[in-house]
Amino acid sequence: MQKLEIINNKIYVIRNQRVMLDFDLAFLYQIETKVLKQAVRRNIERFPEDFMFELTKEEFDNLRSQIVTSSFGGTRYMPFAFTEQGVAMLSSVLNSKKAIEVNIAIMRTFVVLRNSILSLEEITNRVSEIEQQFPEIYKALNYLMDINQKNREQKERCRIGFKKE
């Protein structure tokens, strides 16, 4: 399960798509990023825009500011971002035992993410159904939550005047 967690931490949302970056994939495959990029460029017809795209400088800078760590080092070229389909295609380009093993783990991680999103959507839909069936209860709960929020804000505000000892 630890491997899935490591992979999950290397999945980013860029251009409203879940992607993995070339240097993270190279790290997982235990190859140099340069080798991965060369393999992709030699087989570029296998990687249409919905499988892989190159980050813009703005996207890359934004990503670096989110990640805080500077493990990227100096890059002359912008990283490639691979969608789930692009990662699957990499296994045919990088035909090694390690690549196949890592790709299986990555595919499992994408499935877990997709299932968790689906279950969240199911919960949201169920709450909406309950809200429609029992609107008075929903209004009462919202009212109570608002009162709790106001009480919390009241306690947190800066008091002025004399302090009792």
Side-chain angles (χ1 to χ4, degrees):
M1 197 62 167
Q2 185 181 357
K3 192 173 219 173
L4 293 180
E5 193 173 311
I6 290 169
I7 294 168
N8 190 30
N9 291 334
K10 296 188 181 299
I11 297 175
Y12 307 101
V13 176
I14 301 173
R15 299 183 193 174
N16 294 322
Q17 298 182 69
R18 277 187 218 82
V19 296
M20 293 187 74
L21 301 176
D22 57 10
F23 51 84
D24 286 332
L25 288 163
F27 172 79
L28 293 169
Y29 294 137
Q30 297 176 350
I31 61 173
E32 289 183 40
T33 306
K34 179 172 120 176
V35 172
L36 185 138
K37 284 188 162 203
Q38 285 173 345
V40 168
R41 284 193 178 105
R42 271 184 260 146
N43 296 281
I44 198 69
E45 68 279 353
R46 292 178 183 237
F47 296 95
E49 184 87 8
D50 56 328
F51 281 32
M52 187 238 5
F53 55 89
E54 192 169 8
L55 296 184
T56 65
K57 175 133 178 53
E58 184 180 314
E59 289 169 332
F60 184 60
D61 290 342
N62 186 31
L63 185 67
R64 280 185 19 192
S65 69
Q66 290 175 27
I67 297 175
V68 181
T69 61
S70 61
S71 62
F72 299 111
T75 56
R76 292 195 319 195
Y77 305 103
M78 290 296 108
F80 289 154
F82 294 88
T83 64
E84 183 177 353
Q85 294 86 355
V87 172
M89 187 59 73
L90 274 175
S91 64
S92 67
V93 172
L94 302 171
N95 199 9
S96 71
K97 190 173 185 172
K98 185 68 176 177
I100 292 168
E101 176 188 313
V102 169
N103 269 31
I104 289 170
I106 291 170
M107 291 302 112
R108 287 182 176 149
T109 304
F110 273 109
V111 167
V112 167
L113 276 173
R114 194 171 21 259
N115 288 342
S116 65
I117 288 171
L118 288 176
S119 62
L120 180 61
E121 287 176 5
E122 290 170 7
I123 291 169
T124 304
N125 290 339
R126 186 68 182 131
V127 168
S128 294
E129 288 174 18
I130 292 170
E131 177 185 347
Q132 290 172 357
Q133 290 174 354
F134 306 102
E136 292 79 24
I137 293 174
Y138 185 75
K139 286 178 187 174
L141 287 173
N142 274 339
Y143 177 75
L144 291 173
M145 288 184 343
D146 285 345
I147 288 176
N148 286 339
Q149 179 64 27
K150 287 178 184 173
N151 287 341
R152 223 176 290 123
E153 289 171 1
Q154 190 73 11
K155 287 178 185 175
E156 291 173 359
R157 71 184 178 103
C158 184
R159 306 251 182 226
I160 57 173
F162 293 106
K163 292 184 181 180
K164 294 182 182 179
E165 291 187 41

